[in-house]
Amino acid sequence: MKKGFVQTENFRRLMEAEKKVAQRGAIEQSIVLVSGVFGIGKSLLTERWATESGYVFIRAKETWTKQSMLRDLAAKMGLPVDGNLSQVQDRIIGRVATTMTPIIVDEADHLIPTSRITRGGQRVAPMLEALRDITDITGVMCFLVGMQNFPSMVLQFDHIASRVAEPVYLEQLSLEDVQATVKAKAEVSISPEVIEVILFQSQGRMRWVLNAISNLEQW
């Protein structure tokens, strides 16, 4: 299979959201919620976008705490991770305030605590709040990428919801998307009729489209 990045409709949706956030009025309204069903290529799309744009890309882990998240984020930026948590966060803020490099967090569902955590009777999400501090102070854009129910999970937290600038829902691939993917990635000729079958059997999921192309190449 050929290497390369396919600019699907989902990619164009991300670009449009980025433009809107760049033109926002309130600087603290800089969080973009990106969501969609499994297998449509959210991780592949956002990681490749981050690589080509020079953005910070990091995958959230199920085992993350606020401490491990900030230390992993600092390490991803090439910053020291020693010292207390406040010092680590200050280094991240200092770097981001200088470069204004957007941050993309994949598998962001893990940022929502599985057990109820409250402060002053209000439910809180410590990892989301730590990211909110970074975006509030610097105004940097932060794209949080999760499953289809992720936006409704985030919007449970009013103080976070008010920072959401633009929700982006990534959809299943269209026939045009699959045609473009086959053209860009396949090393063998695939007929239009077979491309239609790929779309139907993959249910518009990029992961399965790429698997189909690979299987056809091997066959």
Side-chain angles (χ1 to χ4, degrees):
M1 190 181 300
K2 300 176 187 175
K3 295 182 179 179
F5 180 56
V6 185
Q7 295 193 7
T8 60
E9 282 299 319
N10 282 334
F11 176 74
R12 286 184 275 276
R13 290 184 181 99
L14 280 175
M15 296 298 96
E16 185 63 28
E18 184 182 34
K19 289 179 183 177
K20 288 181 180 178
V21 178
Q23 298 169 356
R24 69 193 184 278
I27 191 172
E28 70 274 9
Q29 206 169 28
S30 55
I31 296 175
V32 181
L33 304 181
V34 182
S35 62
V37 299
F38 76 92
I40 59 173
K42 297 186 298 294
S43 297
L44 180 67
L45 172 61
T46 52
E47 184 172 16
R48 187 57 185 263
W49 177 39
T51 299
E52 293 197 351
S53 304
Y55 296 169
V56 176
F57 179 90
I58 191 167
R59 281 192 175 91
K61 302 180 181 70
E62 186 178 2
T63 55
W64 259 7
T65 61
K66 182 169 73 170
Q67 179 176 7
S68 56
M69 180 194 75
L70 289 173
R71 294 194 189 282
D72 283 359
L73 185 55
K76 188 75 174 182
M77 295 180 176
L79 298 169
V81 297
D82 58 308
N84 61 44
L85 203 55
S86 179
Q87 290 171 325
V88 174
Q89 188 180 44
D90 285 345
R91 292 187 194 114
I92 295 171
I93 290 171
R95 172 64 62 82
V96 170
T98 302
T99 64
M100 291 305 292
T101 303
I103 298 169
I104 302 174
V105 182
D106 191 22
E107 304 292 347
D109 307 76
H110 294 315
L111 301 178
I112 309 294
T114 54
S115 57
R116 187 177 180 87
I117 302 174
T118 60
R119 185 187 304 128
Q122 184 179 23
R123 189 181 178 194
V124 295
M127 288 184 281
L128 281 177
E129 292 186 5
L131 287 172
R132 182 202 62 176
D133 287 341
I134 295 169
T135 60
D136 271 8
I137 294 171
T138 64
V140 72
M141 284 186 276
C142 182
F143 295 82
L144 304 180
V145 186
M147 294 295 288
Q148 66 265 36
N149 294 327
F150 176 62
S152 61
M153 294 165 63
V154 173
L155 297 178
Q156 296 177 41
F157 306 94
D158 293 340
H159 50 302
I160 303 296
S162 64
R163 267 75 175 178
V164 174
E166 184 73 18
V168 181
Y169 187 79
L170 303 185
E171 300 179 3
Q172 281 96 335
L173 303 181
S174 65
L175 177 60
E176 291 74 18
D177 288 333
V178 177
Q179 290 169 337
T181 302
V182 167
K183 182 178 180 180
K185 307 289 284 186
E187 296 188 26
V188 297
S189 178
I190 299 178
S191 72
E193 294 81 4
V194 174
I195 291 175
E196 290 182 2
V197 173
I198 291 174
L199 172 64
F200 175 75
Q201 293 188 352
S202 69
Q203 299 175 29
R205 288 174 162 84
M206 178 63 82
R207 184 182 304 165
W208 295 348
V209 170
L210 295 177
N211 285 341
I213 293 172
S214 177
N215 290 338
L216 287 169
E217 287 176 341
Q218 293 176 52
W219 177 74

